[in-house]
Amino acid sequence: MKRSEISLGAVLREYGPSIVIAGAILYGFDLTRTVAGWVMAGGALVSVIGLMITSVSDKKAASQRVRRLDRMTLLGLLLFLVSGGVMIQGSNNWVVLFAIATVFYLYGSLMKIRELRKEERR
């Protein structure tokens, strides 16, 4: 039986956004507001590290469009990181940054999956 290979970058890239969402949810509770920004920023940092690891290893195999989508995903993750920083400062403007980051991250991630499937069919 063949074991599937899972890289550290893939694991970090998968679990980071879940930690970001946990940070956004924690902000809703009064007792955890001081920690919520750190959780969100930490999750974004974990995702950025995972994206960097996977994009360095996949750089030769990926097309130019896939690399652009990776950069768009990176922009979304960096906005999550900034959003966590704004949350730590106590401002409510983190919600706007969070919404913009979500659009960049979801579009980049979902279109990358679609583009990779299209490349496999060729």
Side-chain angles (χ1 to χ4, degrees), residues 15-27 31-47 77 80-91 94:
Y15 288 113
S18 302
I19 299 170
V20 169
I21 292 171
I25 292 171
L26 285 174
Y27 190 79
L31 294 174
T32 58
R33 280 197 177 172
T34 56
V35 177
W38 291 105
V39 171
M40 181 181 285
L45 188 61
V46 165
S47 292
L77 291 172
F80 280 135
L81 191 62
V82 171
S83 178
V86 171
M87 187 188 291
I88 290 168
Q89 292 178 345
S91 175
W94 70 270

Side-chain angles (χ1 to χ4, degrees), residues 14-89:
E14 291 292 323
Y15 288 113
S18 302
I19 299 170
V20 169
I21 292 171
I25 292 171
L26 285 174
Y27 190 79
F29 302 107
D30 289 333
L31 294 174
T32 58
R33 280 197 177 172
T34 56
V35 177
W38 291 105
V39 171
M40 181 181 285
L45 188 61
V46 165
S47 292
V48 167
I49 292 169
L51 181 67
M52 290 299 186
I53 291 171
T54 56
S55 61
V56 166
S57 63
D58 296 341
K59 190 172 184 177
K60 294 179 183 175
S63 68
Q64 187 174 5
R65 176 159 168 81
V66 172
R67 288 194 308 261
R68 283 185 192 144
L69 290 169
D70 269 343
R71 286 191 296 264
M72 184 177 282
T73 304
L74 178 64
L75 177 64
L77 291 172
L78 292 175
L79 283 173
F80 280 135
L81 191 62
V82 171
S83 178
V86 171
M87 187 188 291
I88 290 168
Q89 292 178 345

